[in-house]
Amino acid sequence: MGTLEGLNREQQEAVCHFEGPLLILAGAGSGKTRVLTNRIAWLIEAQNINPWNIMAITFTNKAAGEMRERVDRMVGFGADSVWVSTFHSTCVRILRRYIDRLGYGTNFTIYDGDDQKTLMKDICKRLQIDTKVYRERSLLAAISSAKDELIGPEEYKLKAQGDFTKMKIAQVYEEYQRQLRQNNALDFDDLIVKTVELFQNNGDVLDYYQERFRFIMVDEYQDTNTAQFCLVSTLASKYKNLCVVGDDDQSIYKFRGANIGNILNFEQFFPEAKVIKLEQNYRSTQNILDAANAVIANNRGRKEKSLWTANGAGEKVNFRQFFSAFEEAEYIADDIRKKVQQGICGYQDCAVLYRTNAQSRMFEEKFLLSNIPYKIIGGINFYARKEIKDLLAYLKTVDNARDDLAVRRIINVPKRGIGAATISRVQDYADAHGISFYDGLKAARDISGVGRGAAKTVPFVTFIQTLRSKQEFYSVTELLNEIIEQTGYVKELEAEGTEEARERIENIDELVSKATAYEETAEEPSLSGFLEEVALVADIDSLDGEGSKVVLMTLHSAKGLEFPQVYLAGMEDGLFPSYLCITSDDPTDVEEERRLCYVGITRAMKELTLTAAQTRMIRGQTQYNKMSRFVKEIPQELLQTEKKGRFGAGSFGSVSAGNGTADSGSGSLGAPASSGVQQMEAKKRAYQQAREAFRSQVFQPKQFQVKMAEGLDYKEGDTVSHVKFGVGVVQKIVEGGRDYEVTVDFERAGVKKMFASFAKLKKL
């Protein structure tokens, strides 16, 4: 039969499962979408199931569209009766018919993100909520998380008893829902929640859809939240013909509300369920799969499976460790260029994957300077990000206040209450007198019609003038840090507490690192020089819009994609897995990071390269990082290793993935000596000197470029603040030979040891 042609035994078994619950554990690259569409065709052709009675649900419009096309091609006549859509689209169709049962009009409005923010602003004003303490974004995020778990305002309020912050959120949540109902509107979370509520309270409606959808299939099941699980399990409770397809090892959206328990506990919810594992991979080589299997095997919260392929062993996994992140980016750029020149691959065959968006900056700059075409997926150019453009606009204003665009961009960043009418009148005055907008602001008190608005411009002008007076004796990094601190830019983002805000903070840290790196390499560093360098590397509009390009993206964005050549960068503890996960009390946080690593590894088809840096600049300070625990989990026989550092490629020989120690393996001393004991001895001495120099810097970081702080204005027991770690209490101060070593117990980040000159702690 056509629906079974070309399928392996397990795929055929999954396609031909008729009635009853079915869990298909589909490993990476195992052809799950093909199984789903073939199963739909088999139900119609072999079992004479009416297409009207089949529903397939997925997450994105793109995935639904692709499945729709495949079903149409396979089924032909009657295919349009199969309900193929996303969760949200499914719920909208149901609610348009029956939401009047819940007291809403069927012509309800769906609020997008901007609508939600506008509504939340109004609510905060009405309830006199201090948005500096309770950010609109964080309030919306808390409400969304509650809805994911089907927790309404009343239940949230009951659970919040005794917690002042949660009680405040409960108050906002209650008013938010009241306003939505009054406006006959739903947000995206409500689409799921209200459909579940409709089914729970209206037996006849539920019965209608249970009869309509006798066979239900759900793709990417590992990404479902509690509300989505409740929706599909309720629909399937009558006939129990629920087929879910997913991979618990690729569950990486916990921060969006995904509940991995839905797939791990499927057999508990449906005891009669049949489980089929799809373990044959059609994408990668066996060495790549063995590496992925070895890493993910360290997770406890998973269902046992092991990927295999008929594609052959392939190349070993490359692992390269460098002294700095700059050398890491340089190596990847050079390696891609060589492979393209040798005809091994095209630029479009290569992907650089990383944990955080901020890591793209180094690769963007290196690729641009190396004339390597690239594109960023799931993100935007580093220098085009809002937070980066805002801070650069401040620096441009300090350097050249005649830049009207820069001044206008930041005049209300942060909010200063300078209204559009004031800005317009100042601009008209500046145009009439042939002066800059900034000079117009300085003369605001003399401008007719500005009135009380002039008083709001004074703090802004004073701030800029203060920064300009410091420009002569402040470094670029110090100016940037001053702007960040005085504007409260990072503090506002920290108050939001969202994943997006955390990424924006990481981007700001990377900009500070860029400023510090510029000052270390420029012959005569200056603010003008820094802005000029940034402008040159930020201008990527000249890149050809057509043709092949290297892809840059985060690991989260890479899910579902595949590339012949994959570079997984930043394989260091503290970066990947992230510092927050390592220090978390919840062991499942590291398991989520390990699943993300598994996703990254399994994107590679032919070659996989893992890279790490022993030193990486974070917020302008050099940090020393251990090799990622995920690299150590890969058996050494699968790795082709070579440590590279500031003393030249290959100078440290091969590195054990298990302990990171260097040895004198083949190639470790450069090109082999042509002859003579003297040459060999010279090579050994050079190697030993390089190794000792390396050890003195990597394994003794406390002696690296430390300058003694000139006295301290705080003592043990004092409360202090740190620009990144927040508020903490000084536990211990030790006066060393080069600087004071200060131990601080921070409220959020825990106990930290740091040098006083670097920490720049402020007594509160």
Side-chain angles (χ1 to χ4, degrees):
M1 186 173 292
T3 54
L4 301 180
E5 288 179 8
L7 301 180
N8 63 39
R9 183 172 59 83
E10 290 77 18
Q11 288 174 330
Q12 290 183 17
E13 186 180 1
V15 167
C16 297
H17 176 81
F18 183 35
E19 294 181 320
L22 171 64
L23 169 60
I24 303 175
L25 290 172
S30 61
K32 66 179 180 63
T33 305
R34 187 181 183 191
V35 169
L36 268 183
T37 51
N38 281 42
R39 186 166 188 269
I40 292 171
W42 181 82
L43 286 171
I44 295 170
E45 294 175 5
Q47 299 299 321
N48 295 317
I49 299 300
N50 191 327
W52 172 266
N53 295 132
I54 301 173
M55 177 171 67
I57 305 179
T58 189
F59 276 83
T60 66
N61 289 319
K62 180 183 177 184
E66 290 174 354
M67 190 180 295
R68 173 87 268 166
E69 289 179 10
R70 291 197 189 193
V71 169
D72 290 347
R73 284 199 305 269
M74 289 201 69
V75 175
F77 180 76
D80 55 345
S81 296
V82 178
W83 192 320
V84 181
S85 68
T86 65
F87 273 100
H88 291 108
S89 296
T90 295
C91 292
V92 169
R93 290 175 68 177
I94 293 171
L95 292 174
R96 287 293 182 204
R97 290 188 63 181
Y98 293 107
I99 199 172
D100 56 323
R101 302 281 189 99
L102 302 178
Y104 289 79
T106 54
N107 62 337
F108 60 85
T109 301
I110 301 172
Y111 276 10
D112 62 16
D114 288 337
D115 296 327
Q116 289 178 271
K117 290 174 197 171
T118 301
L119 178 58
M120 185 55 72
K121 279 184 180 179
D122 293 341
I123 289 171
C124 288
K125 282 182 182 178
R126 187 178 299 110
L127 298 180
Q128 296 183 324
I129 301 291
D130 185 351
T131 54
K132 290 182 179 178
V133 178
Y134 304 96
R135 305 292 298 172
E136 290 103 331
R137 284 177 181 269
S138 59
L139 290 170
L140 286 168
I143 291 171
S144 179
S145 295
K147 290 182 178 181
D148 285 347
E149 296 298 319
L150 291 176
I151 298 173
E154 289 300 320
E155 185 181 352
Y156 193 95
K157 184 189 290 185
L158 287 173
K159 290 184 175 182
Q161 296 297 326
D163 188 318
F164 181 81
T165 298
K166 288 188 176 180
M167 284 297 292
K168 186 67 70 174
I169 295 172
Q171 180 189 9
V172 173
Y173 187 6
E174 190 171 41
E175 179 63 17
Y176 176 75
Q177 289 304 114
R178 192 185 72 79
Q179 286 291 315
L180 283 174
R181 179 179 283 272
Q182 183 175 306
N183 297 348
N184 194 35
L186 305 178
D187 62 20
F188 277 93
D189 295 316
D190 281 332
L191 295 176
I192 311 292
V193 172
K194 293 302 177 185
T195 305
V196 171
E197 185 181 334
L198 176 69
F199 288 159
Q200 290 175 339
N201 297 324
N202 296 271
D204 59 326
V205 177
L206 174 60
D207 186 66
Y208 170 80
Y209 283 105
Q210 287 178 332
E211 289 297 326
R212 167 76 194 271
F213 302 126
R214 296 193 178 198
F215 291 85
I216 301 169
M217 278 161 272
V218 183
D219 194 14
E220 302 288 2
Y221 188 66
Q222 76 280 347
D223 295 333
T224 55
N225 59 34
T226 300
Q228 290 161 338
F229 163 75
C230 190
L231 175 71
V232 294
S233 60
T234 300
L235 269 175
S237 60
K238 186 172 186 177
Y239 291 103
K240 294 185 171 52
N241 295 326
L242 174 62
C243 167
V244 299
V245 184
D247 183 4
D248 53 300
D249 289 335
Q250 295 187 74
S251 178
I252 59 173
Y253 294 120
K254 180 182 178 182
F255 66 95
R256 292 183 188 169
N259 184 354
I260 193 173
N262 291 347
I263 192 168
L264 292 179
N265 302 321
F266 187 79
E267 295 113 302
Q268 294 180 26
F269 300 126
F270 298 93
E272 66 275 38
K274 183 177 182 63
V275 180
I276 298 174
K277 298 179 182 180
L278 303 184
E279 297 173 291
Q280 182 174 359
N281 176 283
Y282 294 92
R283 173 189 300 155
S284 308
T285 63
Q286 192 61 53
N287 279 333
I288 291 171
L289 296 180
D290 286 346
N293 290 333
V295 170
I296 202 64
N298 290 276
N299 271 8
R300 293 187 176 183
R302 67 183 293 262
K303 290 182 175 292
E304 188 67 34
K305 57 184 172 299
S306 184
L307 297 179
W308 65 275
T309 186
N311 293 341
E315 299 290 332
K316 287 188 175 182
V317 175
N318 295 307
F319 173 62
R320 298 290 184 267
Q321 190 173 28
F322 302 88
F323 183 78
S324 69
F326 176 83
E327 292 171 356
E328 176 189 49
E330 189 172 48
Y331 168 80
I332 290 177
D334 289 344
D335 198 54
I336 290 174
R337 188 173 58 247
K338 287 175 185 176
K339 286 177 180 176
V340 173
Q341 289 173 348
Q342 294 168 6
I344 296 174
C345 63
Y347 288 121
Q348 76 279 4
D349 298 322
C350 304
V352 181
L353 311 181
Y354 36 77
R355 179 63 182 86
T356 68
N357 274 309
Q359 289 172 259
S360 75
R361 194 269 299 177
M362 193 78 74
F363 294 106
E364 288 182 65
E365 293 188 6
K366 190 61 190 173
F367 285 5
L368 190 67
L369 295 172
S370 301
N371 201 29
I372 295 176
Y374 70 91
K375 61 182 176 181
I376 298 178
I377 304 295
I380 57 176
N381 175 286
F382 179 81
Y383 292 104
R385 292 166 183 157
K386 180 186 183 300
E387 58 275 14
I388 303 303
K389 290 177 75 71
D390 285 346
L391 293 174
L392 287 177
Y394 265 107
L395 291 177
K396 289 176 183 178
T397 301
V398 173
D399 184 55
N400 171 26
R402 290 176 297 176
D403 186 340
D404 287 0
L405 285 178
V407 179
R408 289 177 68 109
R409 180 180 182 91
I410 58 170
I411 193 168
N412 274 313
V413 178
K415 296 172 185 175
R416 297 183 174 93
I418 302 174
T422 298
I423 292 173
S424 178
R425 290 191 176 100
V426 170
Q427 187 67 65
D428 290 343
Y429 178 88
D431 292 343
H433 289 78
I435 60 176
S436 69
F437 178 71
Y438 181 73
D439 285 336
L441 287 173
K442 290 196 289 187
R445 292 186 184 279
D446 301 325
I447 301 174
S448 175
V450 172
R452 286 180 296 179
K456 295 179 180 178
T457 67
V458 172
F460 173 72
V461 171
T462 302
F463 178 45
I464 297 300
Q465 289 299 103
T466 302
L467 290 172
R468 299 191 80 184
S469 68
K470 293 179 178 180
Q471 182 180 355
E472 185 178 346
F473 53 90
Y474 263 38
S475 68
V476 178
T477 304
E478 287 172 330
L479 268 177
L480 187 53
N481 280 325
E482 181 90 349
I483 291 166
I484 292 169
E485 186 170 341
Q486 294 301 320
T487 59
Y489 206 111
V490 169
K491 289 179 181 176
E492 285 196 13
L493 291 172
E494 287 175 338
E496 284 184 21
T498 63
E499 182 74 13
E500 180 187 349
R502 187 175 66 81
E503 287 189 0
R504 292 177 66 189
I505 293 172
E506 290 170 350
N507 291 335
I508 292 170
D509 289 345
E510 184 63 22
L511 181 63
V512 175
S513 295
K514 167 63 181 176
T516 304
Y518 161 76
E519 289 168 340
E520 290 177 353
T521 56
E523 291 184 10
E524 295 183 12
S526 66
L527 179 55
S528 297
F530 173 71
L531 292 171
E532 179 181 320
E533 182 171 307
V534 166
L536 289 174
V537 296
D539 182 17
I540 62 166
D541 294 336
S542 58
L543 286 176
D544 185 5
E546 301 299 325
S548 64
K549 296 179 181 180
V550 177
V551 172
L552 300 175
M553 71 176 89
T554 63
L555 285 153
H556 281 103
S557 299
K559 188 168 177 287
L561 303 177
E562 58 185 35
F563 302 91
Q565 306 283 334
V566 168
Y567 298 84
L568 195 45
M571 298 297 293
E572 304 136 33
D573 268 11
L575 184 60
F576 189 40
S578 71
Y579 172 78
L580 291 176
C581 290
I582 293 173
T583 57
S584 171
D585 294 331
D586 186 353
T588 64
D589 287 345
V590 170
E591 294 209 349
E592 174 107 350
E593 292 280 285
R594 188 175 283 112
R595 291 194 291 270
L596 194 56
C597 181
Y598 174 84
V599 167
I601 292 173
T602 54
R603 297 314 92 194
M605 300 168 70
K606 294 181 179 179
E607 281 194 65
L608 172 66
T609 299
L610 310 177
T611 61
Q614 283 124 352
T615 64
R616 191 175 293 272
M617 193 175 287
I618 307 293
R619 197 174 174 79
Q621 297 183 15
T622 300
Q623 292 190 3
Y624 294 83
N625 303 318
K626 294 180 180 179
M627 180 195 307
S628 171
R629 63 195 63 194
F630 301 150
V631 176
K632 296 178 182 179
E633 291 168 356
I634 300 174
Q636 190 172 355
E637 61 268 20
L638 296 177
L639 294 173
Q640 178 65 42
T641 58
E642 183 180 358
K643 184 176 287 186
K644 295 177 180 289
R646 67 188 332 178
F647 306 102
S651 62
F652 300 111
S654 60
V655 57
S656 164
N659 56 29
T661 58
D663 63 43
S664 54
S666 64
S668 63
L669 303 176
S674 57
S675 63
V677 176
Q678 289 181 335
Q679 287 180 311
M680 185 59 71
E681 288 299 320
K683 287 284 187 182
K684 285 184 178 179
R685 284 196 300 273
Y687 170 74
Q688 288 168 353
Q689 289 170 359
R691 184 175 180 180
E692 287 304 311
F694 167 74
R695 289 181 63 82
S696 69
Q697 294 189 42
V698 174
F699 298 106
Q700 298 177 31
K702 293 181 181 179
Q703 299 177 13
F704 186 69
Q705 294 182 349
V706 176
K707 182 180 179 182
M708 187 73 167
E710 297 179 359
L712 301 176
D713 63 353
Y714 50 83
K715 61 184 185 299
E716 292 180 5
D718 283 350
T719 300
V720 295
S721 69
H722 184 273
V723 69
K724 181 174 182 180
F725 299 132
V727 177
V729 177
V730 178
Q731 291 187 328
K732 190 176 182 182
I733 300 175
V734 178
E735 184 175 347
R738 292 174 177 261
D739 196 5
Y740 297 99
E741 186 182 82
V742 185
T743 303
V744 183
D745 186 1
F746 291 102
E747 293 176 1
R748 290 186 295 104
V751 178
K752 302 285 181 188
K753 284 186 179 181
M754 56 193 74
F755 288 120
S757 58
F758 285 152
K760 296 180 180 177
L761 299 169
K762 291 192 174 182
K763 183 179 177 181
L764 298 179

